[in-house]
Amino acid sequence: MRNILILLLISTAAFAGDPQFPVSAIPAQLLKNADVVQRREELTIRLIDLKDMRVTHRCAITILNENGDKYSGFGAWYDKFREVKDISGALYDASGKQLRKLKNSDVKDESAVGENNLMDDSRMKSHNFYHKVYPYTVEYEVEYRYRRTAGMDTWVPQGQSNYAVEHSRLSVTVPESYDLRYRSYRYQGEPVKTTEKGDKTFVWEVKDIAALPEEPLAVPWRNRSVMVYLSPSEFAFDSYTGKMNTWDDYGKFQLALNAGRDVLPEKTKAAVHALTDGLKDPKEKVKALYQYMQQHTRYISIQLGIGGWQPFDATYVATKGYGDCKALSNYMYSLLKEAGIRSHYTLVKAGRGETDLIEDFTVDQFNHIILCVPMAKDTTWLECTSQDAPAGYLGDFTSNRTVLVIDETGGKLVRTPTYTMDQNLQIRHLTATINATGDLNGKAETRYTGMQQDWYHGFIHNVSPEKQMEILKEKLNLASYDINKFHYKEYADALPVPAVEEVLDITVPGYASVSGKRLFIVPNVLNKSNAKLSAEGERLSDIQLKTADKAADTVELNIPEGYKPEAVFPELVHESKFGKYTAKVKVEGTKITYIRTYERKAGVFPAKDFALLEEFYNKVYKADRSRVILVKAE
């Protein structure tokens, strides 16, 4: 499903007679923490009718250093429903002197087809001055004409961290009878509204916004800086019209797009009944048909015309053997329908950690389709673009988020499963021998479950054995080591979540340090935390920890004869609102036993707690490197 957000690194404006942009005119407070300063931005939207919307985006940005170069050009995609009418631009030096103007011949015009797209009618116009004498200013203007109004631009004056804003303005004009829907975040007051000649105009404006520092584990951008979401009350797309006043309205539009696209060929219908007529349990029928779909289709994106929103029909997928997320989900819906099983086409904002969605304002925020299969006691969720995912498991790509389920009457918001700490496990047992020169030879057996197994599932199915060895040799947190052999086994049907078992046979030369009579050993061989935090200045953003999980390690190390413990660290316990860590070690004869557990909680925490999080993470980092010192007996 096409993400309809405008893909502009910087879009915007240059006008004859406009003032130039000397860097000396930038207020001093805007230079702090800034890689760029947006000198002026104007986003102007005019809705003429449901099939005609004009947009002009003008912007001048001063690039202060090489980190700001990513804002120094623009990219404007277009297709049959979105036309790029005009582009202009200019480059200025630090004093504001114009160095160059953009020529039409300088603008690249290329296909915007992605690597997963078989066919796509979208293209991209782009430009960059490639100037490297800092500071400098670029100014662009891009004019568009939309022949559909199903989505409107979002105003984001402050692009991201280290981005200061001198001035930004959003102006939206619609017919006086049209209900413009909007939702503001961190904007002071209401837009200025005026009415003239049958139109009404809404204007938002901000000035002198200081740059925000880059902060780890931050909450969504709209909770940190000014944003205004725009959403149509009524809209048109190709021959379809719809409303977006409520989620139910939006669901009705999607129903109209999907209507009549669930018809299967007779051969496929016969296959459905051959697979399911002998099964009594609906869950077994779902699993059988899901596996049938996986075996007979593959994911390929086709984005032609309204295809970015509307699925290709089930007969097309059955005949061709491929489709995108919309087409494959609709196909799976059709298979289930033929078997007498009710399911729902579902819109989701997919992506690792993309769990945030505005629920109380209807605006398209989705980029993917999955399938919801309600059962008598629970719900089965199906990721239809995967040829190897187990039925009913979503993983971190679409779990733990609000989605729009399209039922028989419209749309309803529901939540996909959230996998808990006790489901996201890493349980490891390592047995190894350390010789007198400090070399370690051992075998690690690890069971990953839930979201802890997601990476390994993809690793097993998408990476060749030769490449797997190469990746594993880079992955382990050791200075130098060899993997003698490795093995993986999947448990796709494990309950309540799938699991992967890993066996590694490793050799680590010089793992223990030898100094005279002493042997220095870090008993945590494979699971040292790399998370260290260091706050610079006052923390501004609240803290968001997105996934809860747990790791439990047991390490048994056999050591050479003749050594006795000289220093053994005490049991370590670190507990906070963010989780709990324990580690203890015991030396008995020629055996060291180390036991470690680490629980990490999910949630949103106030910015003032960052010092506590920093303390907790840094304690865990240090504890994981605790040593046992052995001395050779005389």
Side-chain angles (χ1 to χ4, degrees), residues 216-343:
L217 307 174
V219 293
W221 192 250
R222 71 172 184 272
N223 297 322
R224 304 178 63 197
S225 187
V226 173
M227 290 181 68
V228 175
Y229 288 81
L230 303 172
S231 187
S233 52
E234 298 178 77
F235 61 88
F237 199 150
D238 202 29
S239 60
Y240 296 87
T241 59
K243 296 182 179 181
M244 209 176 287
N245 295 300
T246 66
W247 290 115
D248 191 53
D249 286 340
Y250 191 27
K252 286 181 170 65
F253 170 70
Q254 190 66 60
L255 275 175
L257 290 181
N258 292 10
R261 311 186 81 79
D262 57 357
V263 178
L264 294 167
E266 292 301 321
K267 181 180 178 181
T268 307
K269 290 181 181 179
V272 169
H273 290 288
L275 283 169
T276 62
D277 285 356
L279 301 174
K280 294 183 178 179
D281 186 349
K283 281 195 171 183
E284 289 302 314
K285 292 184 179 184
V286 172
K287 181 179 176 181
L289 291 176
Y290 183 63
Q291 291 176 343
Y292 173 84
M293 182 207 67
Q294 290 177 311
Q295 292 162 5
H296 290 83
T297 64
R298 67 191 189 278
Y299 173 81
I300 294 180
S301 179
I302 302 175
Q303 309 286 339
L304 296 176
I306 198 173
W309 289 60
Q310 184 179 58
F312 278 73
D313 62 73
T315 295
Y316 180 96
V317 177
T319 304
K320 300 292 187 180
Y322 57 74
D324 62 9
C325 62
K326 301 179 299 298
L328 294 174
S329 296
N330 178 68
Y331 178 60
M332 186 66 202
Y333 164 87
S334 306
L335 296 176
L336 292 171
K337 182 180 179 182
E338 182 64 27
I341 296 174
R342 180 170 171 252
S343 65

Side-chain angles (χ1 to χ4, degrees), residues 11-68:
S11 14
T12 51
F15 296 100
D18 273 3
Q20 296 174 332
F21 306 99
V23 175
S24 59
I26 299 175
Q29 69 270 21
L30 297 186
L31 297 174
K32 183 180 180 182
N33 296 322
D35 295 326
V36 299
V37 178
Q38 183 171 274
R39 311 298 297 278
R40 183 192 67 184
E41 179 188 36
E42 295 181 22
L43 176 59
T44 304
I45 301 171
R46 183 178 182 86
L47 180 71
I48 297 172
D49 60 45
L50 296 188
K51 289 191 176 182
D52 191 354
M53 182 169 64
R54 311 297 174 92
V55 177
T56 301
H57 199 185
R58 307 163 177 169
C59 195
I61 293 185
T62 295
I63 313 298
L64 299 174
N65 54 54
E66 63 181 9
N67 294 328

Side-chain angles (χ1 to χ4, degrees), residues 20 22 29 47 54 82 92 168 267 272 329 345 358 397 438 460 517 529 562 609:
Q20 296 174 332
Q29 69 270 21
L47 180 71
R54 311 297 174 92
R82 170 176 150 139
Y92 302 88
S168 181
K267 181 180 178 181
V272 169
S329 296
Y345 191 86
I358 301 170
F397 192 60
I460 293 165
K517 300 178 181 180
S529 169
D609 286 345

